[in-house]
Amino acid sequence: MKKMLSTVIGGALVCAASAATAQNTTPDSPILFTNVDVFDGVNEALMEDVNVVVTGNKISAISSEELVVAGGRVIDGTDHTLMPGIIDSHTHLMFSGVTFPEILFQRQSYTTIQSTLMARDTLMNGVTTVRDMAGDVFGLKRAIDDGSIPGPRVYPSGAMISQTSGHGDFRLPAQDNPMFGGARPVSDQKGHGAQVDGVPQILAATREQLRLGASQVKLAIGGSVSGINDPLDTTQFLLEEIQAAVAAAENWGTYVTVHGYTTRAVNQAIDGGVKSIEHGQLLDRPTLERMAAEGVWLSIQPFTICSEAGLTEAQNAKQAIVCQGTGQVYEWIKELPDLKVVHGTDIFISPGPGIGVSEEVEQMERLLDWFTPYEILKMSTGNATELLQLSGPRNPYPGVLGRVEEDALADLLLVEGNPLEDIKKVTNRDNIKIIMKDGKIYKNTLP
């Protein structure tokens, strides 16, 4: 998990967004975007000078012919590009806007309040969907979905399931294991983690997250940067434990994804049937080739800052190792066109309250050392479509996300200029003129 470095989103932008939420008079009133170029999330060539109609929460028409909407609203998109909302495939809404000690030692109510600010700022960065990879985010998701607060669509994992001495074990040396008379870990009490050992416990933890509404289940199967009890090189859980979690998830029609960096840990997880690898910066090429051949997803982040204030000396030593592996893995990704890759940020903690999540889009600029703007945006939109649909009947938002096509869900950004030529057309928030999620406009700064 990575410490977030970010800046405050301007109050004027937030005010503009608040006003924009009332712009759709009724959920079914159509909106017509005229004279726009379209990046559909998949193809490198823009659809030029087309008209797009949004009816309700879906895209109902895309045509180069003139379109008319009765009783609707017309938005002139001349010199602008209409594109899918950004999808952050790995983030932590409940762990943002607070420090790590606050997550572990302060009341949950404060963390929850900060997470609502993070959700709002995430949406106002143009991020309309997130896969939340650990944290008790279920209540936040419900409040977003019912319209109580603004925020992105949330694909929740719930508690990260970890073994004793694993990535999720943040106990201090004097704290005994619950199996030996110790208290239940604080992260488990708050619903952020589940420290378990053995097949019966891992089955119970997996089923509990599914009961709460997880769209996918996350295990920690290897060492981490932030963990205090798990060296980076370790392989965590036994094969039969991973297989048990996979079987329980498959019985509910969904899948298991895993935190893992190293070749040994990731190959064991793939042997166990997992469908997605989170991170993977220390993988070798044969493992990436195996993933490409077997259709296993790689959800990776550009961890290119090798030392950070706020981390301990031991954590920074692990961070440097991960950082050094990042560039090599990206080079191999370029050489493996069949590998399924999505972009995530792993935003974790912030220096304090009210800090915005600008890194969710600014991180994309780091990828320019390896990828074109088109490749970056495709990893952040259209590539994620199939990954989100792996949740099957547990998918909280059935339909097509990450693409601009007829009958897709209307999560759209209108940006000035062509983002496939200049990624800053998206990473500069002021350049995003309209943010739409589920057919509703949350920001509109067009003249």
Side-chain angles (χ1 to χ4, degrees):
M1 293 181 178
K2 187 167 186 305
K3 183 176 179 181
M4 185 185 75
L5 304 174
S6 51
T7 56
V8 179
I9 291 180
L13 179 60
V14 174
C15 292
S18 299
T21 58
Q23 291 184 3
N24 292 21
T25 55
T26 68
D28 294 323
S29 60
I31 297 175
L32 169 61
F33 294 93
T34 63
N35 308 312
V36 293
D37 295 336
V38 171
F39 168 54
D40 65 2
V42 178
N43 296 294
E44 187 167 6
L46 294 178
M47 291 185 278
E48 297 183 348
D49 197 21
V50 297
N51 303 301
V52 179
V53 179
V54 172
T55 303
N57 71 338
K58 291 187 176 182
I59 299 169
S60 55
I62 302 174
S63 177
S64 58
E65 303 296 325
E66 183 177 348
L67 298 175
V68 177
V69 289
R73 180 175 176 197
V74 178
I75 297 174
D76 183 5
T78 302
D79 298 325
H80 289 70
T81 300
L82 193 69
M83 59 174 283
I86 298 299
I87 297 171
D88 187 339
S89 292
H90 186 122
T91 195
H92 301 277
L93 288 175
M94 289 299 295
F95 301 155
S96 299
V98 290
T99 63
F100 196 70
E102 286 171 330
I103 295 170
L104 289 178
F105 306 124
Q106 297 299 319
R107 302 295 296 179
Q108 180 80 342
S109 54
Y110 180 78
T111 306
T112 300
I113 290 170
Q114 289 302 320
S115 73
T116 65
L117 302 180
M118 295 301 101
R120 176 202 64 190
D121 292 354
T122 295
L123 178 61
M124 297 315 299
N125 277 334
V127 179
T128 54
T129 299
V130 300
R131 283 169 79 234
D132 196 280
M133 287 289 103
D136 185 4
V137 76
F138 299 113
L140 177 66
K141 175 188 180 302
R142 178 182 175 185
I144 293 170
D145 290 346
D146 68 20
S148 298
I149 59 171
R153 301 178 190 268
V154 179
Y155 281 74
S157 300
M160 179 177 67
I161 302 173
S162 169
Q163 68 170 44
T164 295
S165 75
H167 176 26
D169 185 350
F170 289 98
R171 290 175 300 128
L172 300 176
Q175 295 175 289
D176 291 332
N177 190 297
M179 295 182 67
F180 309 131
R184 188 181 177 206
V186 172
S187 58
D188 290 29
Q189 294 177 35
K190 292 186 173 184
H192 301 324
Q195 182 181 313
V196 300
D197 296 283
V199 168
Q201 287 191 354
I202 204 168
L203 283 173
T206 301
R207 290 166 177 165
E208 180 70 358
Q209 303 320 303
L210 294 169
R211 179 186 76 86
L212 293 171
S215 51
Q216 65 283 321
V217 174
K218 183 188 177 187
L219 306 184
I221 53 88
S224 71
V225 170
S226 61
I228 59 176
N229 294 309
D230 60 326
L232 195 58
D233 64 292
T234 57
T235 298
Q236 298 169 16
F237 285 125
L238 301 178
L239 177 60
E240 53 265 34
E241 292 173 307
I242 297 171
Q243 289 172 325
V246 168
E250 288 181 346
N251 282 347
W252 275 54
T254 186
Y255 69 101
V256 170
T257 187
V258 295
H259 160 103
Y261 290 108
T262 65
T263 292
R264 186 176 189 273
V266 165
N267 274 287
Q268 177 179 259
I270 297 173
D271 290 343
V274 306
K275 301 296 185 186
S276 176
I277 308 301
E278 311 295 320
H279 310 314
Q281 282 84 356
L282 301 179
L283 296 179
D284 60 12
R285 184 180 177 120
T287 300
L288 293 169
E289 291 173 346
R290 178 189 182 186
M291 291 170 63
E294 298 183 21
V296 177
W297 288 82
L298 178 62
S299 172
I300 188 171
Q301 308 78 31
F303 291 165
T304 56
I305 299 175
C306 297
S307 179
E308 296 186 34
L311 296 182
T312 66
E313 182 177 349
Q315 288 171 327
N316 268 320
K318 293 193 286 184
Q319 174 101 331
I321 295 171
V322 170
C323 179
Q324 291 165 10
T326 299
Q328 179 61 80
V329 171
Y330 278 134
E331 292 289 347
W332 286 329
I333 288 172
K334 290 279 289 185
E335 299 169 5
L336 297 170
D338 293 333
L339 182 63
K340 298 179 177 182
V341 183
V342 290
H343 169 61
T345 58
D346 198 16
I347 288 177
F348 182 37
I349 61 174
S350 307
I355 303 298
V357 288
S358 61
E359 191 175 0
E360 273 186 314
V361 286
E362 291 171 0
Q363 231 190 51
M364 294 179 185
E365 295 179 20
R366 299 185 202 168
L367 294 170
L368 289 171
D369 289 339
W370 299 279
F371 303 101
T372 66
Y374 160 70
E375 291 168 329
I376 296 167
L377 289 174
K378 186 169 179 284
M379 286 190 290
S380 304
T381 58
N383 276 13
T385 304
E386 183 185 348
L387 175 60
L388 297 177
Q389 292 174 343
L390 280 183
S391 295
R394 306 286 78 78
N395 186 342
Y397 313 104
V400 174
L401 289 168
R403 303 189 181 187
V404 181
E405 60 184 46
E406 289 188 9
D407 207 38
L409 294 169
D411 291 8
L412 300 168
L413 307 180
L414 187 69
V415 302
E416 188 173 354
N418 183 357
L420 302 188
E421 294 178 350
D422 181 2
I423 196 71
K424 291 186 179 181
K425 301 296 184 183
V426 176
T427 59
N428 178 359
R429 290 182 300 279
D430 291 339
N431 200 64
I432 304 175
K433 303 303 181 182
I434 287 180
I435 297 173
M436 172 183 283
K437 190 197 80 172
D438 206 38
K440 298 180 177 66
I441 294 176
Y442 287 83
K443 173 189 175 183
N444 184 358
T445 58
L446 287 173

